Amino acid sequence: MPGPSRRRLRRTSLIALVAALALTAAACGGSLDEEGGGEEGSGSVKVGLALPASGVYEPLGVDMTRGFELYLEEQQGKLGGKEVEVVKADEGEAPDTGVPAVQKLVTQDKVDALVGIVNSATALGVKDTVSQSKVPLIVANAGADEVADGGDYVWRTSFTNGGVGEALGGAVAEELGNESVYLMAADYAAGRESVAGFKKSFEAAGGKIAGESFTPFGTTTDWQPFLSKAQNSGAKAVYVFYAGGEAVNFVKQYKSFGLGEEIQLYGAGFLTEGGVLAAQGKAAEGVRTSLHYSDQLDTPENKEFVDAYTKAYDAPPTVYAVQAYDAAAALDLALKDADGTSGEAIAKALGGIGEIESPRGTWSFDEDHNPDQPYFLREVQAVDGGFANAVLNELS
Ligand code: BEZ
């Protein structure tokens, strides 16, 4: 199973030995005080998990909870050798539910660290709160470019929306030659940044834009007027950002509108990821996307992860599961080195964890605290009687 490197494991054994000695001393009357929300003297840590249990992003929340819990289970319920108490709060769909959920975890539950946040607008809405409260937040999905900017308390194990789009632009420009592309996205931070990232590298490589539409987030059910615009624009391809329930409806309508045959559909990989692909079925065949993960990645680390995840949950893992699995891994490594469980100590230790061996490949935090990681060009293909995101190549 991927996880801490050998070097780290040796250091970990030493730390575990020291911890065991300290525990013995505590049992004999010594003190082992811990700062933060975990029980004093217990060597425990309290982690707040803020993920959607309702709304269009609820399936993403399910996958992320599973990824986090799988890592924890593999470490016998401990991170950095400390017993973990997980407190969950429903992020819901948007900031009106997500921001209060995080506030509750910080002020009422007094968690030592936070993991989660799917929606970019919510992440932007809680960024200042966590920094002021000095509670480290490991963002395990939301990709708004400005969420992680090198501030001490916000770290991200997922991606930037601009980065996922930008990874694809050059390859599409090369594929299209002189032809143009139409852009479409959910009208909020994630959609706008995804499109901007794509546009940047696409235009830099000589690509032409035929037009763009931003569709109301969470309320659009009929994409026909937008699909007509794309068709009438003369574009030979469409690039989109949709995720969760919106991705299912969009891809099905794209196909039934008849665009699938004549205009190649590209997108940020959330468009065809996990449960949404199962719901889209054949309508998604041939859709090409960029992402930093596919369960089809042919590496020993990923195969081992896919086996363990599938065994545990009877479903293949998704990028969302991997991001949360890696958030637990980052916290594990940080807690091994941290001087206690205060927010300051955990945040400081996160800066020194180095590389993470992940099912997606090896990655590390960059200076803004975003993952420095490879991206892949994927295509939905028929695999084993279903559909999967086959990996065509790594994007440069
Ligand atoms: C976001 O809001 O950043 C986001 C939501 C779902 C999938 C990907 C990104």
Side-chain angles (χ1 to χ4, degrees), residues 180-351:
S180 59
V181 72
Y182 194 90
L183 308 170
M184 208 183 291
D187 191 6
Y188 80 107
R192 291 202 170 256
E193 289 178 357
S194 179
V195 159
F198 175 85
K199 212 168 165 177
K200 186 174 158 196
S201 57
F202 179 71
E203 288 185 328
K208 283 180 285 188
I209 307 291
E212 60 185 28
S213 292
F214 291 96
T215 57
F217 170 63
T219 54
T220 302
T221 51
D222 179 9
W223 272 269
Q224 191 152 331
F226 308 106
L227 294 172
S228 295
K229 281 190 192 172
Q231 190 174 38
N232 295 335
S233 73
K236 274 283 171 291
V238 169
Y239 171 84
V240 303
F241 170 94
Y242 291 110
E246 289 202 312
V248 176
N249 293 334
F250 174 81
V251 167
K252 282 185 165 174
Q253 289 183 28
Y254 194 89
K255 179 77 178 175
S256 61
F257 195 73
L259 290 191
E261 316 308 321
E262 41 176 298
I263 305 182
Q264 171 67 43
L265 179 57
Y266 291 96
F270 318 105
L271 185 66
T272 57
E273 187 63 6
V276 304
L277 179 56
Q280 291 157 346
K282 200 164 171 51
E285 197 170 11
V287 175
R288 290 186 167 196
T289 62
S290 56
L291 206 60
H292 44 291
Y293 181 70
S294 162
D295 65 345
Q296 303 294 301
L297 271 178
D298 191 10
T299 62
E301 291 82 4
N302 186 46
K303 285 190 162 148
E304 208 180 325
F305 175 72
V306 170
D307 280 355
Y309 188 95
T310 309
K311 206 164 150 197
Y313 303 116
D314 204 20
T318 60
V319 72
Y320 310 111
V322 171
Q323 292 165 176
Y325 184 85
D326 285 359
L331 206 45
D332 188 22
L333 292 170
L335 281 162
K336 277 170 185 154
D337 277 352
D339 184 13
T341 54
S342 70
E344 285 109 313
I346 297 172
K348 189 165 171 232
L350 279 166

Side-chain angles (χ1 to χ4, degrees), residues 108-234:
Q108 206 171 308
D109 300 310
K110 299 200 186 314
V111 298
D112 298 303
L114 286 156
V115 170
I117 311 293
V118 164
N119 183 308
S120 275
T122 302
L124 290 168
V126 301
K127 182 182 163 178
D128 290 344
T129 306
V130 301
S131 295
Q132 280 151 18
S133 313
K134 299 193 173 175
V135 177
L137 164 63
I138 303 184
V139 176
N141 186 68
D145 297 351
E146 279 168 20
V147 165
D149 57 8
D152 290 346
Y153 291 91
V154 182
W155 302 76
R156 176 153 53 191
T157 57
S158 49
F159 56 89
T160 60
N161 290 314
V164 180
E166 195 174 341
L168 189 58
V172 176
E174 204 174 304
E175 183 81 24
L176 289 184
N178 266 341
E179 303 291 352
S180 59
V181 72
Y182 194 90
L183 308 170
M184 208 183 291
D187 191 6
Y188 80 107
R192 291 202 170 256
E193 289 178 357
S194 179
V195 159
F198 175 85
K199 212 168 165 177
K200 186 174 158 196
S201 57
F202 179 71
E203 288 185 328
K208 283 180 285 188
I209 307 291
E212 60 185 28
S213 292
F214 291 96
T215 57
F217 170 63
T219 54
T220 302
T221 51
D222 179 9
W223 272 269
Q224 191 152 331
F226 308 106
L227 294 172
S228 295
K229 281 190 192 172
Q231 190 174 38
N232 295 335
S233 73

